[in-house]
Amino acid sequence: MGEIRATKRLDITGDCCPITFVKTKLALEEMQPGEILEVLLKEGDPLVNVPRSLKSEGHRVLQVKKVRPDTYLLIVERGKLE
Amino acid sequence: MSLGYKNVNFSELKKGGFIRQQGPDLFIMRLRSIGGHLTSKDLENIALLAKKYGRGEVHLTTRQGVEIPGVRLADYQELIAAIKRLQLLPGACGPRIRCIVSCPGQDVCPNGVVNTQEMARQVDQAFFGRDVPAKFKIAIAGCPNACTKPRENDVGLQGVVYPQLVADRCSLCGLCQSLCPGGAIKIVADRVTIDRQRCCGDGACIASCPTNAWVAERRGFVLYAGGKMGRQPRLGDRLLDFVPGEEVIPVINSVLQGFITRRQGNERLADTMARLGTGIFRKLISYTSRREVAAGGRD
């Protein structure tokens, strides 16, 4: 997959569940369907819970990149569902 | 109207809905829920009963039931009639199959992989209140987190979903490998592999996969047996690795038959299994799965 241009970037590496998802959800709510959000998050609970919650709310995780040994970058396309 | 002991239906009392408490002629009315589920109407009705017949309070039991303390013996018959009218369910005590404990399951819990509430209804309907040699407890958990502690029960069911990869949907993002709790999923040379022995069946890969490449191959229950708490606690053993939902009732029935046949006195299933050994007890489970029947016993 080629380079995807993100509209917004969010760092939730300092947060714990459920604040991780709340922040992600709030960020996506301020965006238009189809726009891209980059989310930087820690492995463990955030990595387990945030992608599955995004999926169940109708957003699309396009890419998952490991950027540091314990940190991941999710590239998320804002979905149409509210 | 005053009712003495002679007017009380003791055979009904013995089934466990009505239990003596400390103090003269005072009783606890034990009600059960099925899998911890009560409607708001049930709660209103329980509140009315507690106010009218008890002390205006209830106790929540460890098996997801509701007890109304401070009921007078004289009110027993009227209370039983009211419980029936309000479609509430009496509990059980003594050597019987107790209230079926369950988590909310996949209907509510983000981690749930099976419909525990429906299974609790089926198990309750098939077994609740049945007379057995010793108290017998059944709990159902909707995922391997095991919140309802299935291994602390005589029989514990734990929901599992085993995944299958639809390879042409996979984008090799690596998310499943990163979050698989058992480390079962590995990406080797751009190929996703799964070690079935290490898969714990929690469905994290299915729930999270961005491209829906992981799908549910089969959904059912792990069956634990021989757990108990009390003075000499014992964790239940993993008796069967996979039981499909429709075969849970015959399997539990088979465990019960094995227990009833081989128990000594009024020992709990945990003691029977500790005495015999899990391997020997497992051989007593003469349950034949529907698939085995369909395959003429060759499955």
Side-chain angles (χ1 to χ4, degrees), chain A residues 47-48 51-52 55 61 64 72 74, chain B residues 110 173 178 206-207 209-210 212:
Chain A
L47 189 66
V48 170
R52 76 156 65 178
K55 191 175 163 183
V61 176
V64 185
Y72 288 77
L74 297 185
Chain B
C173 71
S178 306
I206 301 168
C209 179
N212 295 325

Side-chain angles (χ1 to χ4, degrees), chain B residues 176-188:
Chain B
C176 54
Q177 176 181 248
S178 306
L179 53 76
C180 177
I185 299 174
K186 292 268 180 284
I187 299 180
V188 184

Side-chain angles (χ1 to χ4, degrees), chain B residues 81-122:
Chain B
I83 285 167
K84 283 184 183 157
R85 193 174 61 246
L86 298 170
Q87 296 182 311
L88 294 168
L89 303 165
C93 75
R96 284 177 190 84
I97 297 190
R98 305 295 185 86
C99 188
I100 314 303
V101 167
S102 162
C103 70
Q106 72 179 166
D107 188 35
V108 173
C109 178
N111 298 316
V113 298
V114 289
N115 187 341
T116 54
Q117 291 294 305
E118 173 54 26
M119 186 49 68
R121 274 190 290 275
Q122 289 181 26

